[in-house]
Amino acid sequence: MPKAVLMDHDGAIDDLLSQLLVLTMPDVDLIGVTVTPADCYIEPALESTYKLLQLMGKEQIPLGRGDYYGINAFPSEWRARPEIINALPMLINLPKAPDPYTYLSAPDLIIDRLTNAPGNVTMLMTGPCSNLVLALEKAPELAAKLEEVVWMAGAFNVSGNVQTFQHDGSAEWNVLWDPISTKKLLELELPLTFIPLDVTNHVPVTKAFLSTLATQIDYNLSNLTGQFWALTIDTIPGYYYTYFMWDILATSYLAMPEQFKTEVVKAKVSTRPPNAGQTYLDDAGYSVKIATDVNVEYFYEYLLTQ
Ligand code: AGV
Ligand code: CA
């Protein structure tokens, strides 16, 4: 039986690549995708999301539109990238995507998908957690349907990746966007696995990887993903703006959990400056699983194979 997976992403390059990666997994049944307007603008991001489904012959998978906006906005230059994606040669001429305002709102789609799933569902989140929290506030009984929540977010024993005003740099962006929803998520005590910066710091996007990927461009997916990744290279080499395979690593956890080192810890989140969105270990906190290390060679090889 394939694993039923519901995905919420926020439209960045690695989010869209993560959606593609999920669609290549033979043991995963993707039952819906919701988009959070965090590291993207919602309309072009929903268009990219739809186009990638089309490309894989999966346009029947339902989409949900995030209408909720978090507390701390992402930089606009980052949010604009799906416009470029939609203009790439392999995507620009695909049939037009539906009007994004015909979709259900994201929390309603999450409720619908969990309600109608015959068994339990794994939720993969590669952006902020607000849509899931909103859905569970509306329908708390559906928490029991969640097999596992896998979330790219947080920074526990390493520095954060936020550099902005009123901030000491200790937070990771997906948490900073909506620290209040993160606090609520921890309080729900779901089976929650973080793929935080502690582990994603091990997997930068490197030119060596892109160079190897380029040797296989006769495969359509290698060609397309090489073009996506090239859009992130302007961020190399300054540390704070190095692009990592953040969401891709979280997505790979679905297929290769045994390649990760994890720990069960107690954690909390700060909701106020100067460290809003900081996730930290605290004996009085909530029990969560965090990934701390991964077999990096195996991971890069897995991506090249998929
Ligand atoms: O903090 C990592 C999260 C991931 O979900 N995102 C990007 C990934 O999709 C925010 C982010 C941090 N640094 C960035 C980000 C950068 N340099 N460009 C775009 N987004
Ligand atoms: Ca993301």
Side-chain angles (χ1 to χ4, degrees):
M1 261 284 276
K3 194 200 270 282
V5 171
L6 188 53
M7 178 174 191
D8 187 288
H9 72 64
D10 70 338
I13 305 276
D14 62 329
D15 294 85
L16 297 169
L17 286 168
S18 295
Q19 181 190 323
L20 264 183
L21 182 60
V22 169
L23 292 168
T24 69
M25 293 179 178
D27 299 330
V28 165
D29 179 19
L30 184 62
I31 61 169
V33 181
T34 52
V35 181
T36 299
D39 207 349
C40 67
Y41 293 102
I42 194 69
E43 297 86 359
L46 278 165
E47 186 178 332
S48 313
T49 302
Y50 183 79
K51 288 193 163 189
L52 294 179
L53 291 179
Q54 273 186 324
L55 191 77
M56 303 295 280
K58 292 286 173 72
E59 63 272 21
Q60 75 284 359
I61 295 175
L63 303 185
R65 184 194 61 252
D67 293 322
Y68 169 87
Y69 286 80
I71 295 161
N72 301 295
F74 275 79
S76 329
E77 310 85 76
W78 296 357
R79 297 180 66 192
R81 288 222 179 89
E83 292 282 22
I84 307 175
I85 299 290
N86 294 334
L88 291 176
M90 282 171 70
L91 301 180
I92 192 161
N93 290 331
L94 290 174
K96 210 174 147 22
D99 174 354
Y101 293 92
T102 60
Y103 297 134
L104 284 184
S105 84
D108 287 344
L109 187 74
I110 293 171
I111 291 172
D112 171 81
R113 299 284 76 199
L114 291 178
T115 306
N116 291 308
N120 284 355
V121 172
T122 297
M123 177 98 199
L124 170 66
M125 302 192 295
T126 60
C129 65
S130 324
N131 285 328
L132 177 63
V133 169
L134 288 167
L136 292 177
E137 280 180 343
K138 238 173 148 176
E141 71 284 0
L142 292 175
K145 278 286 206 53
L146 291 166
E147 176 79 29
E148 185 177 14
V149 177
V150 178
W151 189 23
M152 190 285 121
F156 293 87
N157 293 312
V158 297
S159 320
N161 63 0
V162 164
Q163 276 196 307
T164 191
F165 301 100
Q166 289 270 88
H167 211 285
D168 66 7
S170 57
E172 182 282 324
W173 267 104
N174 288 339
V175 180
L176 178 71
W177 196 72
D178 189 358
I180 303 285
S181 289
T182 305
K183 180 164 182 276
K184 290 178 180 172
L185 183 73
L186 291 177
E187 287 164 3
L188 284 167
E189 304 202 275
L190 303 171
L192 175 59
T193 302
F194 280 93
I195 310 295
L197 297 186
D198 306 58
V199 64
T200 62
N201 281 346
H202 297 297
V203 293
V205 180
T206 63
K207 284 201 180 166
F209 176 83
L210 297 194
S211 171
T212 310
L213 182 62
T215 64
Q216 35 182 77
I217 54 168
D218 289 344
Y219 295 98
N220 272 340
L221 282 185
S222 298
N223 189 348
L224 184 66
T225 55
Q227 295 184 35
F228 272 57
W229 283 128
L231 297 171
T232 70
I233 284 296
D234 61 340
T235 58
I236 289 175
Y239 173 77
Y240 279 104
Y241 293 103
T242 298
Y243 211 95
F244 291 87
M245 294 193 176
W246 297 284
D247 298 348
I248 299 285
L249 187 66
T251 304
S252 302
Y253 179 80
L254 300 180
M256 42 176 262
E258 74 288 348
Q259 301 298 327
F260 288 73
K261 197 185 279 173
T262 60
E263 278 172 34
V264 175
V265 298
K266 297 218 164 183
K268 280 193 179 175
V269 61
S270 162
T271 56
R272 285 191 233 154
N275 64 334
Q278 182 187 10
T279 45
Y280 56 94
L281 305 184
D282 185 323
D283 285 341
Y286 301 93
S287 183
V288 295
K289 199 191 262 189
I290 63 172
T292 56
D293 204 359
V294 63
N295 181 342
V296 172
E297 291 314 310
Y298 190 102
F299 165 70
Y300 285 125
E301 200 49 47
Y302 173 71
L303 293 186
L304 292 168
T305 309
Q306 293 305 102

